[in-house]
Amino acid sequence: MPEIPDLQHYLGDLESKDKASRIRTLSLLKDKLTLAPGSSDVGDHSMNYNLIDALANRLVNDPAERCRELSLTIIAECLRDMDPAKIVRSARCIVPAAAERFGSQPFREPVEELRLKLIETCTKILHQAASELSYERSHPITDILAFSLVSALTDRFPEGKRAAATAISNLCRIAPWSINLHFVALMIELSTNLSHQHAKTRLLTLDAIVDVTCVSTICNALPHVFRQIVLPKLGRICMDRSKKVRVCFARSLGVWLVRGLDCITVAEEAIGKSPGALHEFASDLLAFLFMLLSDESREVAARAVSELNAVGIHWQLATSKSISKWCVAELPLPCVPSVLPRDFACNAAYLVSSAATTLVTLHFQPILNIQLAWLSCWMPPMRAHNLHALASLIITSGAAVNSSFQVGKLIQTYGNWISDNDEGVQGGSRAAIRALGAVLIDHSPALRILLDFGTPPLAAVRNDSLVNVILEHLSEMMTLITDKLFFQQGG
């Protein structure tokens, strides 16, 4: 900050009771700083700190909006060229003053745009002081900021919400220890914002939730909060109207699954070590990935397949005794075929790698139970989408369909929905039946189960026409397989 002659005189004028005098003084200070920029190492630092203290006081106590706005602009100019150590010194008065305006209910700062600028200034300070803050395990600046952002997330001003979510993500990277102190409160407000009307807000909120959970894996409250607060909100994200949000969700699921795999290996599980907090949700997260894998958008489905395959590689490496430290680059997005548009989910499922298939097979029964439970949703589009997800799961882990109970339960489930009033649900049921037919053809023991009409699960099927429908689709699948083999052989 350049040296300002007669600074003490300006500081005195800032205390004037006359609003016009304060505005004039602040405007002069702003002009001197913006028209004569210089290094923060110039001049009397104690005087510079005095100016920042006075401006912070204006932020908190000045009743005039214009004065508060000018004070914030001057503060940003003062901090522009400061080194990290001096930034931290200045932040000790700026951050609490700013947080007082946007971090309380009701907001002490009534002007939406100023609340936004206050959050952005604090975020900028956080970035400038990162090298100093990263050496400490706790700091009043970051603790105050984390606490104030809980209230900022409730702001009805969409840009304010987004700025708060961005600030939280930055805190997770620069001062993660400050997040654990307010983990539950942050997660409650962030999860609420997942249903915000603006897609951009939902995107930034989802990113912030991922960041918060990943830096809080040792937090005792994480399992409960994730199960009771986060998971119920994620189901709607699968059906989000924004394709960008669904793509972001697929990426988020990949991050969560990898973080869970970081915490445990098969060998550790075998000797009874406790898994990481996110590991216990692997089946839920995989079930969500299969919902996205069956998305109507090829971009979303491709991202889901890519994330699932990347997680499969992580799992393969994590369970390998020969590799203790590893890093997996992001896999290229697969090209999802469009051979059978009505069975799009099945097409995407054929792109799942062998490593991912093995991982999914290990979690097959829990994933199946979760997806079957989701079919009780009152929204027909959700049921239809989930039936396609069931189809993709069966295609991916066909070898796991190895009991009469499983086959019978699936047939009964599809029978319940094939006559649904909604055409989308009917189509999803037919796709699921075709997927089951494909698996039964590939695994002859399961096919014998299907054809054994005396098996108890099938005896419970009231309508024999359902079996005829399945056999009809088996015939269709045989024709498709024959055509495929004929094509591959160059016929």
Side-chain angles (χ1 to χ4, degrees):
M1 185 175 73
E3 187 174 3
I4 302 176
D6 301 324
L7 179 59
Q8 195 63 46
H9 172 71
Y10 286 108
L11 295 178
D13 289 345
L14 288 179
E15 300 299 325
S16 172
K17 294 182 180 180
D18 180 52
K19 181 177 76 172
S21 176
R22 296 196 307 275
I23 291 176
R24 184 168 55 252
T25 300
L26 287 166
S27 297
L28 287 171
L29 280 170
K30 175 177 174 289
D31 291 342
K32 286 181 178 293
L33 287 168
T34 56
L35 295 177
S39 171
S40 62
D41 293 327
V42 177
D44 185 346
H45 296 307
S46 63
M47 292 299 291
N48 294 343
Y49 292 139
N50 288 342
L51 173 60
I52 290 174
D53 289 342
L55 293 170
N57 183 55
R58 289 298 93 204
L59 280 181
V60 176
N61 299 314
D62 203 303
E65 175 187 340
R66 180 58 178 161
C67 289
R68 298 195 303 275
E69 181 183 5
L70 284 169
S71 297
L72 190 56
T73 301
I74 296 169
I75 284 174
E77 186 62 34
C78 289
L79 300 178
R80 183 168 58 87
D81 295 320
M82 277 191 181
D83 61 53
K86 295 185 178 70
I87 286 283
V88 172
R89 162 66 178 81
S90 300
R92 287 173 183 154
C93 64
I94 297 172
V95 171
E100 190 174 336
R101 302 297 292 182
F102 68 77
S104 59
Q105 290 288 354
F107 293 118
R108 287 200 60 189
E109 177 51 68
V111 182
E112 294 176 337
E113 289 76 9
L114 280 181
R115 292 201 299 271
L116 172 62
K117 288 182 179 179
L118 287 166
I119 297 172
E120 290 175 341
T121 299
C122 288
T123 303
K124 186 176 181 181
I125 288 174
L126 191 66
H127 277 288
Q128 288 182 266
S131 60
E132 289 290 317
L133 296 175
S134 62
Y135 292 107
E136 303 185 44
R137 295 300 300 168
S138 180
H139 200 287
I141 296 174
T142 55
D143 294 343
I144 290 170
L145 183 56
F147 174 75
S148 65
L149 289 172
V150 175
S151 293
L153 288 169
T154 66
D155 200 329
R156 292 186 178 181
F157 184 44
E159 291 187 39
K161 280 185 184 291
R162 293 195 283 269
T166 300
I168 289 168
S169 291
N170 284 304
L171 265 179
C172 290
R173 298 180 185 93
I174 296 170
W177 57 86
S178 63
I179 295 296
N180 289 329
L181 295 173
H182 312 287
F183 170 73
V184 176
L186 286 169
M187 291 302 292
I188 290 173
E189 299 303 336
L190 284 168
S191 297
T192 300
N193 288 344
L194 279 178
S195 57
H196 193 269
Q197 61 179 328
H198 294 160
K200 189 174 181 180
T201 302
R202 299 194 299 276
L203 272 172
L204 292 173
T205 297
L206 187 56
D207 285 338
I209 289 175
V210 172
D211 292 334
V212 170
T213 51
C214 285
V215 301
S216 305
T217 51
I218 61 172
C219 181
N220 293 331
L222 176 57
H224 174 77
V225 169
F226 202 83
R227 174 70 65 189
Q228 300 298 325
I229 297 175
V230 180
L231 281 180
K233 297 286 187 179
L234 295 181
R236 290 183 176 270
I237 301 295
C238 288
M239 302 291 293
D240 196 279
R241 60 184 178 273
S242 168
K243 181 172 66 176
K244 290 183 178 179
V245 173
R246 301 198 303 275
V247 169
C248 178
F249 185 36
R251 186 172 63 248
S252 301
L253 291 170
V255 171
W256 276 324
L257 283 163
V258 167
R259 181 54 61 98
L261 293 173
D262 284 346
C263 301
I264 188 171
T265 66
V266 168
E268 289 173 332
E269 190 172 26
I271 61 176
K273 288 190 177 181
S274 299
L278 287 174
H279 182 269
E280 65 181 89
F281 303 106
S283 297
D284 300 270
L285 300 176
L286 287 168
F288 283 129
L289 260 184
F290 273 96
M291 287 289 282
L292 296 174
L293 188 144
S294 60
D295 196 277
E296 61 184 8
S297 163
R298 279 169 169 71
E299 182 181 349
V300 176
R303 170 57 64 180
V305 172
S306 178
E307 294 295 335
L308 185 56
N309 288 343
V311 170
I313 292 177
H314 269 88
W315 173 78
Q316 197 172 50
L317 294 175
T319 55
S320 172
K321 295 181 180 179
S322 61
I323 303 176
S324 58
K325 297 291 182 181
W326 32 262
C327 178
V328 177
E330 183 176 347
L331 297 178
L333 292 179
C335 179
V336 180
S338 55
V339 178
L340 299 171
R342 62 180 180 174
D343 282 350
F344 174 64
C346 297
N347 293 332
Y350 283 114
L351 298 177
V352 177
S353 68
S354 58
T357 297
T358 304
L359 174 63
V360 171
T361 300
L362 290 175
H363 290 270
F364 175 77
Q365 193 59 54
I367 297 173
L368 179 63
N369 293 340
I370 291 168
Q371 291 188 330
L372 290 174
W374 286 347
L375 283 175
S376 62
C377 178
W378 63 272
M379 295 183 294
M382 183 70 172
R383 295 200 301 272
H385 194 167
N386 194 54
L387 283 163
H388 284 284
L390 272 169
S392 63
L393 174 66
I394 297 300
I395 288 293
T396 302
S397 299
V401 184
N402 54 17
S403 72
S404 60
F405 175 80
Q406 286 176 327
V407 173
K409 188 172 183 179
L410 288 170
I411 292 174
Q412 286 179 318
T413 298
Y414 302 155
N416 291 336
W417 297 112
I418 199 167
S419 57
D420 192 90
N421 293 330
D422 185 83
E423 291 184 1
V425 175
Q426 295 174 19
S429 298
R430 287 192 291 270
I433 290 170
R434 280 190 290 271
L436 181 60
V439 167
L440 295 176
I441 289 173
D442 289 338
H443 303 279
S444 56
L447 179 59
R448 285 196 294 271
I449 292 172
L450 175 68
L451 298 178
D452 182 5
F453 291 95
T455 303
L458 288 177
V461 178
R462 296 178 181 177
N463 190 354
D464 286 343
S465 63
L466 176 60
V467 176
N468 293 330
V469 170
I470 294 174
L471 293 175
E472 177 185 343
H473 287 305
L474 286 175
S475 176
E476 290 181 12
M477 290 302 301
M478 284 298 295
T479 302
L480 290 172
I481 291 171
T482 302
D483 291 345
K484 182 178 179 181
L485 291 174
F486 180 74
F487 176 77
Q488 289 178 343
Q489 292 171 0

